[in-house]
Amino acid sequence: WYQRRVREAVVSTQSTGSLKASSYCIQGMAALVEGRLTDAKRKLRETVVMANKADLNKLTSSAFLLLAHIFVDIGNQTDALEMVKSAHEIANRIPDISLQMWSCKMLEQLYRTDQPEKSGEIRELREKLTAKIEKESEESTSLPEHNLLQWLDSEFPSSCMSMV
């Protein structure tokens, strides 16, 4: 049912570029999950085109990474590497740490057999990103605002009174 609803959204002539790009991405992911790789590639490529037109960098990068997974599945390492490099470049430019981690993990795997030294460099980068995420998490949990997340059945935290 969701494919029909998404298709209806795309067919609408009043749909925005971002809506069309998003719906193509959803259709591509659905095709990927269902194992229809040709349809998935087609929809994800359309996602890239539409997302570029609408300047949706995160969606473009995500679509490149999903395409890379498809290329890995069909044994096309060259195209997979190009997709991941493009996604990684976008992820670094915007910057989006989740996409950076995802692209680093894929680059590390793709470089592992042919270019082990590059794989090691990417692993180091991924470890730095992981450390950054952990540091930011520790910093955020030490803020007084974090007490609001832990407040459930007890008295309202006095450290949060200044925020009200």
Side-chain angles (χ1 to χ4, degrees):
W1 67 269
Y2 66 90
Q3 289 178 338
R4 181 174 31 88
R5 300 267 310 204
V6 170
R7 246 183 262 120
E8 290 168 3
V10 174
V11 171
S12 170
T13 56
Q14 296 177 348
S15 295
T16 65
S18 58
L19 179 61
K20 287 181 181 180
S22 300
S23 63
Y24 280 126
C25 188
I26 292 167
Q27 290 175 29
M29 287 189 294
L32 181 60
V33 167
E34 293 168 0
R36 296 180 291 114
L37 299 183
T38 303
D39 284 344
K41 279 195 303 189
R42 186 171 42 82
K43 293 296 184 181
L44 290 169
R45 284 181 174 143
E46 192 62 35
T47 299
V48 169
V49 170
M50 296 302 295
N52 278 335
K53 286 181 184 176
D55 199 27
L56 302 170
N57 292 319
K58 288 183 181 187
L59 188 57
T60 301
S61 184
S62 297
F64 276 139
L65 290 167
L66 290 167
L67 280 165
H69 278 287
I70 293 170
F71 287 125
V72 167
D73 285 349
I74 62 175
N76 187 341
Q77 304 292 12
T78 305
D79 285 345
L81 188 56
E82 288 305 310
M83 294 292 119
V84 177
K85 284 179 180 178
S86 296
H88 189 68
E89 181 183 311
I90 294 168
N92 286 329
R93 189 176 62 233
I94 51 183
D96 185 299
I97 199 158
S98 298
L99 291 170
Q100 289 171 333
M101 290 288 289
W102 186 7
S103 61
C104 279
K105 185 64 178 168
M106 289 193 74
L107 282 172
E108 184 182 342
Q109 292 170 344
L110 289 167
Y111 283 137
R112 187 172 293 140
T113 52
D114 295 340
Q115 301 177 42
E117 68 285 345
K118 266 241 197 251
S119 180
E121 292 172 19
I122 298 295
R123 183 176 38 260
E124 288 175 19
L125 176 59
R126 191 171 51 82
E127 288 169 358
K128 287 179 185 175
L129 290 170
T130 300
K132 180 181 178 183
I133 291 170
E134 290 171 354
K135 181 180 179 244
E136 288 175 357
S137 176
E138 288 174 18
E139 288 173 356
S140 70
T141 57
S142 68
L143 295 172
E145 292 86 354
H146 193 75
N147 289 333
L148 288 172
L149 297 175
Q150 297 170 353
W151 169 57
L152 296 173
D153 293 326
S154 61
E155 291 291 317
F156 188 75
S158 59
S159 62
C160 296
M161 290 303 285
S162 63
M163 291 180 262
V164 184

